[in-house]
Each structure stands twice: as C-alpha cells, then as structure tokens.
Amino acid sequence: MKPKNSKNLMKIRLIFLAIISLGVGQIAVAQSAHSVDRKKLTEQIKTEFLHAWNGYKQYCWGHDDLKPLTKTCRDWYGTTVLMTPVDSLDSLYLLGFRGEADKTREYITKNLSFDKDISVQNFEIVIRVLGGLLSSYQMTGDKKLLALADDLGTRLLPVFDSPTGLPYKNVNLKTGKTSGAVSNPAETGTLLIEFGTLAKLTGKQVYYDKAKRALVETYNRRSPIGLVGTNINVETGKWTNTDSHVSAEIDSYYEYLLKCDILFGDKECRDMWEDSIAKVHSYLADEGTDLTATNRTGSVKVGDLWYGRADMNTGKRIATTTGALDAFFPGLLALDGDLNRARALQDSMFKMWQVHGIEPEVYDYKTGKVVSGGYPLRPEIVESTYILYQTTKDPRYLAMGKQMFEDFVRHCRTDVAYAGLKNVVTKEKTDYMHSFLLAETFKYFYLLFAPDKTLDIKKVVFNTEAHPIKKTWKN
Ligand code: DMJ
C-alpha cells in the first residue's frame, strides 16, 4: 500500500507545485495570454465549425457520421439514428446558427424514429442521443424533442434488468433484448444526468431510480481500499479486470458522481464522490519531483502531477500511462473547487499535448513515450481548459486554448471537414469524424473564447458529451 501524506503536507506541496509550474515552465503561455483576441478566435471557431458541419451535410446528410477522407458515410447500426445532427443541435444554437439549427431540429423531429430492430450500445446512445435531445429540448421548448427522448428512454430501460441492477452494455430498441454482460464503470455509471433529467422533465421517477441504482451498485463494488476496476460482470457483480485509473472505461463514472450532486442536489452522490476522490488521490496520483530534467523542447520539467494506474485491490502502481481521455480530470477537479490540483494537472496535460503538437490517446508520463498514437478529435483537454478559465479567470488558459486550436486546425482540417489522426507523431490522418467533434470539441473551444455571458456554468451541468443541462425543471 502506498503510504498517505498528511493532508496539510499535501496542500503545501500542491501550492508549491502550482507556483513553480506557473513561474518556470509556463512563462511563454502566461506571456502570450495578453495577445489573445477572443472576438477574432470565436469567429474563426464558428467558421471552422461550419466547415465541418457543411462537409457532413454535403456528403452524409441523414446518416450518422462522415468519413472525411473517402467522403463516404457510416451508420453505426446499419440504419441511421441521426447521430451527428442530434449530437450537434445544441452547438448550432449556442454558436448562433439559429436558422440552421431550426431546420435541423425540424428534420430530426420529422425523421428520427427509434422503432428499429437494432441492438445499440446503451452508453453511447444515452450520452450522445438522449443527452442531445434533452439539452436541445431545454434550449427550444420543442415538445417533440422531449417526446423522442421519452420514447428512447423507455426503449432503453430493459438494460437495467440484470440480477445486480448494473446495466447490460447493449439493448435492442424494438424487442428490449439485452446483451453484453461484461461492462465497465463508465458504462454502468454514466447515465444519471440523462435519465435523471428525463425523470424530472416527464415526472417518471423510474428513470432516475434505475440509473441511480446503477451508479450506487458500481460504487458498492469498490475494493477494500476504495477503488473501482476496469471491467465488471453485471450478472455476477464480479470484477474481470482490476486495473484502476481515471481513463477509458472508468473516467466519466467519477464525473457523474460529482455532477449528480451538482445537478440534482443528491447528497448520497456527494458522499460517494468525496469518499472515491480521496482514494483516487491516495493511490492513483503520481507527483514527479524532477526539477532538473529537461523535456524535448529544452524547457525545465518541473513538479508534474499525473494520475496513473494501480491495482484496485492492492493499490500497487501498474503503469505510468495517461492520455487524451484522462484530460477531463483537471476540469472535474476545478468543478470540485480543488484548484491547486486542477491547475497542476492541466499543466501536465498541456505538456503532453506539446510533445508532438497534439495529444496522443495513450502517453507514458515517466518515459515521455507515446504508447498509442491516435487522436480521434477528442475534446477533454479543451473542456478542462474552458472549465479552468471559467473558475479562475486566469488568461493563461486562453493562451493555452489558442495554441491548441491552432494546432488542431493545422493537423486535423481536411478539404471538406475534419479528420482524426492515426498517429500524432507522423500526423497521418484517419478516415473518421466523430459526432463529438461538433458536440464537444468545437463547443468547448467556442465557449472558452466567447463572451462569459454566453453560458453561465453555475446554472448548467454538462453531460459527458458536452450537452448542457439546465438546473431548472420546467416542462
Ligand atoms: C465522448 O463520447 C464523451 O466525452 C465520452 O465521455 C468519452 N469519449 C468521447 C470523447 O472523447
């Protein structure tokens, strides 16, 4: 077991790390903060958003996603569930494209049907489609969007009918047949913002209760030292992979523990969060103290804070890897008011980005090596930059965001839209544009630079797909 530092010692250390990293490693970012022209950047971001949206429309309108290199389309389940239009709709409204948004909304309400004999992945459909319908409903008051969300919610409910209450991975939208007994905390625990909101807006409490139970059942299976693993069998409740981390397959479980309290004021969630996050800090945090080493760009590497991997039962370190998905964590810590850790970790993530001018999917923070080199247009690091800017108003986050946006456009733009990267080292592109590019990445870039009044982060909670849910339940 890793010995725990006393709380005060930890605090002093984090403040020290934050001061050092601000003072030495990030001077360039702090200096260029003053040259950020927010108005110009918001206009550029809107132009680039439209470039991607129009590419989707030109080649794949009515399908789920665009493959931007071959200019062909992908439907996740052989038939469309309008993934890109539904995921993008609230971004269209937020970025100010009202006419385009209204046309898209009308198309969705006329053409989207869930009465389909297809087995869908519950988690992806919930965060992208259910979340998208609910936030757009709150923005427009269009009851047809709420009716679609309610219909979808009803069709998804059979996922929870396992012996443990933990949801199966997949469900057939027509027959309710479930499949996929081996799941993970992200998929069992990232449902309550959407189902809970649906409960509040329809008055059907069952939605809240089933998704809340799934979150609690996940938490209840934490190890004696308070960590969760990567894979769990929803029929037996036993872990099949005991690696613990804040990365793929676990990440948004932690996000929803905290946000459940922020959105619904559910104090049981707050208690689960407080307990869990303390264990994450104890066993997963890794504080490099190498004040002398230099990184590839020649600048001094100071006081990094990272979160790596440990076994959920022993707490033993099993890997020093992080990556693009983990970059949501500084934003979550900032939402929790833990600004020292949030700032230090954000600096680490930005260093990871700077190694190759765009972030890899998996990165070893001890060796500085890329372990998995893809970049599928992920938003998490931009999300954290935005939340940190909103919570600190420190202009260095604007400078960070500007750098990221410029790199992002340089490496991922294509003639018709945007493409992910196969490899961040070679910058070779891959033939796919995920809907979260329009739902999340561009939205967070835009919100970072847009006037602060565009969205009040005290009044909304973003689901994990960046769909803002208002904390008021008018219907
Ligand atoms: C999105 O679908 C969501 O943000 C999810 O929580 C993680 N993966 C992608 C973006 O990277």
Side-chain angles (χ1 to χ4, degrees):
M1 260 203 230
K2 185 179 165 185
K4 281 183 229 165
N5 287 339
S6 90
K7 261 191 173 170
N8 283 344
L9 203 70
M10 181 71 183
K11 244 190 190 163
I12 294 168
R13 190 182 167 85
L14 281 162
I15 292 170
F16 175 73
L17 291 183
I19 292 168
I20 300 238
S21 98
L22 183 63
V24 186
Q26 305 289 320
I27 286 174
V29 172
Q31 277 171 347
S32 59
H34 300 289
S35 61
V36 174
D37 183 340
R38 292 174 69 172
K39 201 158 180 279
K40 191 169 155 210
L41 271 159
T42 51
E43 287 312 313
Q44 281 172 359
I45 291 161
K46 285 173 74 167
T47 304
E48 292 309 310
F49 176 95
L50 268 194
H51 176 68
W53 171 250
N54 286 334
Y56 161 76
K57 272 181 67 181
Q58 184 179 351
Y59 294 100
C60 293
W61 182 243
H63 291 279
D64 282 339
D65 291 326
L66 166 69
K67 295 169 82 177
L69 303 186
T70 53
K71 299 169 178 111
T72 55
C73 313
R74 176 185 172 222
D75 289 317
W76 286 38
Y77 304 107
T79 169
T80 187
V81 288
L82 298 183
M83 198 75 80
T84 292
V86 175
D87 223 5
S88 308
L89 185 56
D90 59 14
S91 296
L92 284 165
Y93 281 112
L94 268 175
L95 270 68
F97 301 117
R98 175 161 279 281
E100 189 68 14
D102 284 343
K103 275 192 260 159
T104 305
R105 177 169 53 83
E106 275 157 32
Y107 183 86
I108 290 169
T109 54
K110 231 192 209 150
N111 294 284
L112 184 55
S113 162
F114 299 115
D115 189 21
K116 292 183 169 170
D117 189 6
I118 51 174
S119 178
V120 302
Q121 190 181 353
N122 181 53
F123 165 79
E124 293 291 356
I125 292 293
V126 166
I127 67 169
R128 298 187 198 218
V129 182
L130 189 54
L133 290 170
L134 289 169
S135 70
S136 292
Y137 165 65
Q138 284 190 321
M139 277 184 196
T140 61
D142 184 340
K143 294 262 185 205
K144 290 186 198 141
L145 294 172
L146 182 60
L148 276 167
D150 194 13
D151 178 47
L152 177 58
T154 306
R155 291 171 188 276
L156 295 173
L157 276 181
V159 283
F160 296 106
D161 296 339
S162 73
T164 60
L166 293 166
Y168 287 95
K169 272 175 91 93
N170 313 303
V171 58
N172 185 299
L173 290 180
K174 201 189 253 311
T175 65
K177 188 173 181 299
T178 52
S179 64
V182 177
S183 191
N184 54 69
E187 297 200 39
T188 59
T190 312
L191 305 167
L192 187 51
I193 291 180
E194 300 80 0
F195 277 105
T197 298
L198 192 54
K200 301 281 181 193
L201 295 173
T202 60
K204 298 180 185 170
Q205 183 63 21
V206 61
Y207 289 133
Y208 192 99
D209 294 344
K210 297 260 184 189
K212 170 82 185 290
R213 179 169 175 217
L215 187 62
V216 172
E217 293 291 346
T218 309
Y219 172 76
N220 284 347
R221 287 170 175 79
R222 70 199 182 283
S223 70
I225 61 168
L227 295 175
V228 294
T230 303
N231 295 116
I232 189 162
N233 186 309
V234 304
E235 290 177 341
T236 63
K238 299 266 182 280
W239 294 99
T240 60
N241 177 337
T242 60
D243 291 4
S244 197
H245 47 81
V246 295
S247 194
E249 300 191 282
I250 298 182
D251 45 11
S252 46
Y253 158 68
Y254 289 117
E255 182 182 346
Y256 276 35
L257 282 179
L258 178 63
K259 289 183 175 177
C260 154
D261 175 42
I262 299 176
L263 182 58
F264 302 116
D266 188 324
K267 293 304 161 207
E268 201 184 345
C269 290
R270 170 62 62 171
D271 291 344
M272 294 190 291
W273 160 260
E274 299 286 357
D275 175 49
S276 303
I277 197 62
K279 308 299 170 21
V280 166
H281 294 320
S282 294
Y283 294 104
L284 303 182
D286 210 343
E287 296 152 68
T289 50
D290 184 356
L291 301 179
T292 53
T294 52
N295 70 17
R296 287 177 205 198
T297 56
S299 58
V300 181
K301 183 180 156 212
V302 284
D304 296 337
L305 172 66
W306 301 96
Y307 286 75
R309 291 181 167 239
D311 181 82
M312 68 180 276
N313 294 311
T314 63
K316 196 168 165 276
R317 172 79 54 214
I318 48 177
T320 52
T321 48
T322 182
L325 282 163
D326 307 50
F328 82 105
F329 207 51
L332 191 65
L333 295 175
L335 274 187
D336 192 33
D338 191 348
L339 290 179
N340 289 331
R341 281 194 183 90
R343 278 177 174 279
L345 185 58
Q346 177 71 10
D347 285 353
S348 299
M349 291 298 167
F350 188 51
K351 283 178 197 162
M352 170 177 80
W353 177 284
Q354 287 173 305
V355 175
H356 293 286
I358 200 147
E359 61 185 356
E361 189 73 349
V362 184
Y363 173 74
D364 190 320
Y365 56 80
K366 272 269 147 49
T367 64
K369 295 238 162 67
V370 170
V371 178
S372 173
Y375 173 68
L377 305 169
R378 291 206 190 279
E380 285 78 3
I381 196 166
V382 190
E383 169 186 358
S384 284
T385 312
Y386 162 64
I387 302 288
L388 263 160
Y389 179 66
Q390 283 299 320
T391 46
T392 65
K393 291 286 147 80
D394 185 339
R396 63 199 294 273
Y397 296 114
L398 297 176
M400 258 186 209
K402 178 172 182 271
Q403 174 73 61
M404 288 181 215
F405 182 65
E406 286 166 0
D407 292 341
F408 170 77
V409 174
R410 185 165 53 251
H411 300 311
C412 302
R413 194 179 204 274
T414 74
D415 54 342
V416 299
Y418 272 74
L421 301 183
K422 208 173 265 175
N423 187 327
V424 296
V425 182
T426 63
K427 310 292 187 298
E428 186 190 350
K429 291 192 174 71
T430 189
D431 192 17
Y432 205 57
M433 186 174 95
H434 267 285
S435 62
F436 57 66
L437 168 75
L438 295 157
E440 298 196 71
T441 314
F442 274 121
K443 185 186 285 150
Y444 284 129
F445 269 131
Y446 176 78
L447 289 173
L448 173 62
F449 300 108
D452 292 342
K453 63 175 186 326
T454 308
L455 200 70
D456 182 349
I457 65 159
K458 292 201 186 71
K459 293 195 178 144
V460 300
V461 169
F462 289 95
N463 88 334
T464 197
E465 188 78 1
H467 296 302
I469 301 294
K470 285 187 203 149
K471 296 186 196 172
T472 46
W473 308 114
K474 279 189 247 131
N475 58 357

